[in-house]
Amino acid sequence: MSIKSVNLNQNKSVKEQDNSLLEFQETLQEAVNIMNYPPQVYEFIKKPMRFLEVSIPVRMDNGEVQIFQGYRAQHNDAKGPTKGGIRFHPDVTAEEVKALAGWMSLKCGVTNLPYGGAKGGIVCDPRRMSLGELERLSRGYVRAVSQLVGPTKDIPAPDMYTNAQIMAWMLDEYDQIREFDSPGFITGKPIALGGSKGRETATSKGVLYTLQMVCEIRKMSLKDTKVIIQGFGNVGSYLAQYLYGLGAKVIGIGDALGGLYDENGLDIPYLLDNRDSFGIISNHFSNSITNQELLEKPCDVLIPAAISGVIHKRNAEKINCQIVIEAANGPTTKEALQILDERGILLVPDILANSGGVVVSYFEWCQNNQGYYWTEETVDERLQEKMKESFANVVATAKKYQVNLKIAAYIVGIQQIAEASRLRGWLNY
């Protein structure tokens, strides 16, 4: 893993103030009302069942000890152990982590996985940290949360600015604490430590399969479709590579510093070869634009694949596309979605479109439990099958209740959580 300590700042101009938890709760309430569930259902799932805040002391390379703030939210475990990634980012907040855990519960419901949702985060800037500091931070986080996590309790995974190497350090620390080998504790691991083939690319492939299904519904050809991807990290870069290979025109990409746009199509192989380990490439060009400008450029398909809240009430009228596919978590606010709906722009929600990551994490967990590992072809085939089933279910639910795909996805997810909770005797509706 190559991580450079560079002076970068997240481009906050494209992101609204963090209202992630409120956004989650308001949409949740709307879906609960449509289903005519009693108030107890909303009250039970509007926030995590458990939330842990930890302080992590880390000895830095200069000898000083720095205290990092960390979080772990376990939203609901009615269906099974909780599952969710860990993000390293300077803008991580408790409210964001709680919202992400809730979204993950719904995502597991939409894809019919035997999990509830969880999420973790550490307030840090890994772009300014050495490998040694990142390893000590990763191990310190596991020590802080070790009593609440495990292969039958809560299973972490990579998220923003974390990767397979960080998962490997976390796995090793957990194994040392528990004094036995437990590959099912964490997913997104290196293949040599029990990781699954196809896991690194799973979220991108899930988005791709979703886009292909949308194109079928809209009777569009993916070839020559003009696509803008806002975000060029793990998800955005693999997605750009796949779309380029299938003949789509990727006319815009964005990273934390800005965006690149060419209406004739960007040279994706060149950009992939020259981006850094954090997906930064726009600083190599003198004609880069802001992420805000990128989001408003004309295209057929807009794919926000970076941070939350980038499409909001102030720019929703300027979004110039036919389809929005949410590859990031929560990139479109509730107010913005209403505007997009009124304008006839189809939005495929995050809890459906980007669920490929948790689906293949589930496959990895199954392989760890069985001690039998699948080929990449088998993983991809089962991922595509799962995405097709989930997409068809959400589309059918949208038609049944005459709602947009986001509300439909919430309805599907809530039904799974509510029924599992009722059967356990937690709810009595």
Side-chain angles (χ1 to χ4, degrees):
M1 180 180 68
S2 174
I3 294 182
K4 295 185 249 183
S5 181
V6 292
N7 185 15
L8 300 176
N9 290 309
Q10 182 69 38
N11 186 353
K12 293 183 180 180
S13 64
V14 302
K15 183 178 178 180
E16 293 274 83
Q17 180 182 358
D18 181 26
N19 292 314
S20 302
L21 185 59
L22 181 61
E23 291 274 335
F24 166 74
Q25 291 174 338
E26 287 181 348
T27 308
L28 190 74
Q29 180 76 79
E30 185 176 348
V32 166
N33 290 344
I34 291 170
M35 295 299 294
N36 291 317
Y37 281 129
Q40 61 178 276
V41 174
Y42 171 73
E43 291 299 323
F44 184 53
I45 60 179
K46 72 178 184 181
K47 58 184 179 181
M49 298 178 71
R50 285 175 290 277
F51 180 75
L52 180 65
E53 184 172 347
V54 298
S55 296
I56 309 164
V58 176
R59 187 171 299 280
M60 309 303 282
D61 289 346
N62 62 8
E64 296 181 359
V65 173
Q66 184 172 338
I67 310 300
F68 291 88
Q69 202 69 27
Y71 307 103
R72 188 69 181 173
Q74 297 173 346
H75 177 259
N76 190 284
D77 58 9
K79 287 197 68 182
T82 53
K83 182 86 185 73
I86 301 169
R87 60 177 49 186
F88 287 7
H89 198 279
D91 295 336
V92 167
T93 66
E95 300 299 282
E96 178 188 47
V97 170
K98 291 175 183 178
L100 289 164
W103 282 325
M104 182 58 80
S105 275
L106 296 176
K107 195 178 299 184
C108 291
V110 166
T111 52
N112 196 25
L113 301 181
Y115 290 143
K119 206 70 177 184
I122 301 175
V123 183
C124 68
D125 191 346
R127 299 167 298 190
R128 300 173 182 267
M129 298 174 68
S130 70
L131 284 177
E133 290 169 341
L134 283 172
E135 179 176 355
R136 293 190 288 275
L137 176 62
S138 301
R139 292 178 180 275
Y141 179 81
V142 172
R143 289 194 298 273
V145 303
S146 63
Q147 293 185 12
L148 290 184
V149 298
T152 59
K153 292 162 57 174
D154 180 9
I155 305 134
D159 197 81
M160 190 179 293
Y161 289 164
T162 57
N163 57 21
Q165 177 59 77
I166 288 173
M167 299 303 103
W169 290 327
M170 290 185 174
L171 171 65
D172 183 66
E173 190 67 25
Y174 184 82
D175 285 352
Q176 291 188 42
I177 293 169
R178 296 300 181 200
E179 298 184 340
F180 60 83
D181 186 51
S182 182
F185 154 65
I186 204 163
T187 60
K189 306 178 292 293
I191 290 175
L193 294 179
S196 175
K197 293 178 180 178
R199 174 58 185 87
E200 185 177 359
T201 61
T203 304
S204 304
K205 284 191 175 177
V207 175
L208 174 64
Y209 298 149
T210 300
L211 176 55
Q212 289 173 328
M213 289 183 283
V214 171
C215 286
E216 287 179 17
I217 289 176
R218 287 293 183 97
K219 294 183 171 29
M220 295 169 53
S221 170
L222 186 59
K223 183 175 173 58
D224 294 327
T225 295
K226 293 185 176 181
V227 182
I228 290 176
I229 304 171
Q230 193 258 327
F232 208 53
N234 178 274
V235 177
S237 60
Y238 277 118
L239 183 58
Q241 177 183 327
Y242 296 145
L243 290 171
Y244 181 87
L246 291 171
K249 279 190 178 179
V250 181
I251 61 174
I253 65 97
D255 58 34
L257 298 182
L260 301 173
Y261 176 81
D262 185 337
E263 63 180 5
N264 296 314
L266 295 168
D267 185 349
I268 296 302
Y270 174 83
L271 299 181
L272 291 171
D273 286 344
N274 288 277
R275 72 189 187 106
D276 71 12
S277 58
F278 292 98
I280 306 298
I281 185 62
S282 64
N283 56 343
H284 289 270
F285 296 84
S286 60
N287 61 339
S288 64
I289 59 178
T290 67
N291 272 281
Q292 190 59 61
E293 291 172 324
L294 179 69
L295 289 165
E296 296 171 8
K297 290 289 187 182
C299 62
D300 299 314
V301 181
L302 175 62
I303 305 178
I307 56 176
S308 63
V310 297
I311 302 176
H312 43 76
K313 64 180 180 181
R314 293 198 299 273
N315 68 358
E317 289 284 1
K318 301 174 185 177
I319 299 300
N320 193 355
C321 66
Q322 301 177 46
I323 299 162
V324 175
I325 308 282
E326 292 188 320
N329 290 308
T332 310
T333 68
K334 192 170 184 291
E335 292 174 313
L337 177 55
Q338 183 177 349
I339 295 170
L340 296 182
D341 279 346
E342 291 169 353
R343 296 182 57 210
I345 297 173
L346 175 67
L347 180 138
V348 184
D350 47 5
I351 60 174
L352 171 61
N354 72 16
S355 61
V358 70
V359 169
V360 178
S361 272
Y362 167 64
F363 294 164
E364 180 175 331
W365 182 71
C366 290
Q367 292 169 79
N368 293 153
N369 291 339
Q370 295 169 340
Y372 179 79
Y373 292 85
W374 310 346
T375 65
E376 188 164 356
E377 291 75 19
T378 298
V379 171
D380 286 347
E381 179 182 325
R382 292 180 178 178
L383 170 60
Q384 190 166 15
E385 179 182 349
K386 189 62 107 168
M387 295 302 298
K388 284 183 176 180
E389 290 174 355
S390 303
F391 184 83
N393 192 16
V394 170
V395 170
T397 302
K399 290 179 180 177
K400 178 179 178 179
Y401 292 97
Q402 292 298 295
V403 294
N404 61 40
L405 293 182
K406 185 158 197 171
I407 296 297
Y410 267 67
I411 288 172
V412 173
I414 292 167
Q415 286 175 322
Q416 294 268 336
I417 300 168
E419 181 65 3
S421 299
R422 185 188 67 80
L423 290 169
R424 285 182 179 273
W426 298 354
L427 301 176
N428 64 353
Y429 65 92

